[in-house]
Amino acid sequence: MLNKYARTFFTTLFTPLAALLLRWGVSPDAVTIAGTAGVAVGALVFYPQGELFWGTLFITAFVFSDVIDGIMARLRGPGGPWGSFLDSTLDRVADGAVFAGLAVWYFTGGDSVPTAVAALLCLVLGMLVSYARAKAEALGFDASVGIAERAERLVSVLVTAGLTGLGLPGEFLLGVLVLLALASMVTVFQRVAAVRRQSMDPRPAGQG
């Protein structure tokens, strides 16, 4: 849902920057890699030290690269599947770094094993959500359903982590992580059910 309503706004906002980067000779792949590296540094350097607010600010400065590289690719014209593959793969790296950074902090200085475990559950289930869709599409099915898309998961955890760094009680972050883990689990089941229904259809996979 967040993707649907926010994409138009952010596309309008970042199109001038995307066009400028293209004029400077910067490739969409370079933006994808730089953005992922920035998110990983913010999550794996700041978060394990307990700097949740500054880590979130650092991550936010790079997380919009996921929008910018897509705009650049569309402005540059038709391309091959490589860019899409790279973007999708590095999205998983970025997401994993965010939840791993939180888990490291709460297993150590943050001293909250439940929060650390919830972060790890979000990491694993988030990867499973993405895998279920990718595998379904590779087999010719449509699994673009579910209540926990990537954008919703990422925005929720970043906002709550940043506020926790400003003094919001840690229980709120734990609650958000638990809800995200549950939502991801539901999404996995929704995608499995969707593929199951399509697989029982006598028509060939991928045909409506």
Side-chain angles (χ1 to χ4, degrees):
M1 183 177 293
L2 184 63
N3 281 332
K4 177 181 178 181
Y5 292 105
R7 185 164 296 278
T8 300
F9 170 76
F10 285 117
T11 297
T12 302
L13 180 65
F14 289 118
T15 293
L17 175 59
L20 179 63
L21 291 172
L22 287 173
R23 286 198 297 272
W24 286 350
V26 179
S27 71
D29 289 352
V31 173
T32 301
I33 293 169
T36 301
V39 171
V41 168
L44 299 177
V45 173
F46 287 94
Y47 280 179
Q49 299 180 64
E51 298 288 350
L52 301 186
F53 175 71
W54 293 111
T56 298
L57 283 185
F58 193 93
I59 291 168
T60 302
F62 288 92
V63 78
F64 287 110
S65 65
D66 193 46
V67 177
I68 296 170
D69 60 7
I71 298 172
M72 292 173 68
R74 289 192 292 273
L75 290 175
R76 195 173 63 172
W82 162 249
S84 177
F85 170 80
L86 180 67
D87 184 63
S88 180
T89 300
L90 293 187
D91 280 350
R92 309 288 84 73
V93 173
D95 294 355
V98 169
F99 290 109
L102 289 172
V104 170
W105 167 242
Y106 282 105
F107 270 131
T108 56
D111 195 25
S112 176
V113 172
T115 303
V117 171
L120 288 181
L121 285 174
C122 286
L123 191 160
V124 173
L125 290 169
M127 297 297 174
L128 188 54
V129 166
S130 299
Y131 174 80
R133 178 172 177 173
K135 184 63 176 179
E137 291 177 348
L139 295 173
F141 298 109
D142 179 15
S144 56
V145 297
I147 61 174
E149 294 286 348
R150 177 178 184 260
E152 283 87 345
R153 298 196 305 270
L154 192 59
V155 169
S156 298
V157 71
L158 288 178
V159 169
T160 311
L163 292 176
T164 300
L166 290 176
L168 185 73
E171 289 77 12
F172 284 93
L173 179 58
L174 173 59
V176 167
L177 290 172
V178 169
L179 289 175
L180 286 178
L182 291 173
S184 296
M185 187 180 302
V186 170
T187 298
V188 171
F189 282 114
Q190 287 178 305
R191 292 184 172 183
V192 170
V195 172
R196 175 62 176 170
R197 286 194 299 271
Q198 293 169 61
S199 70
M200 299 298 290
D201 193 313
R203 292 170 293 181
Q207 292 188 7

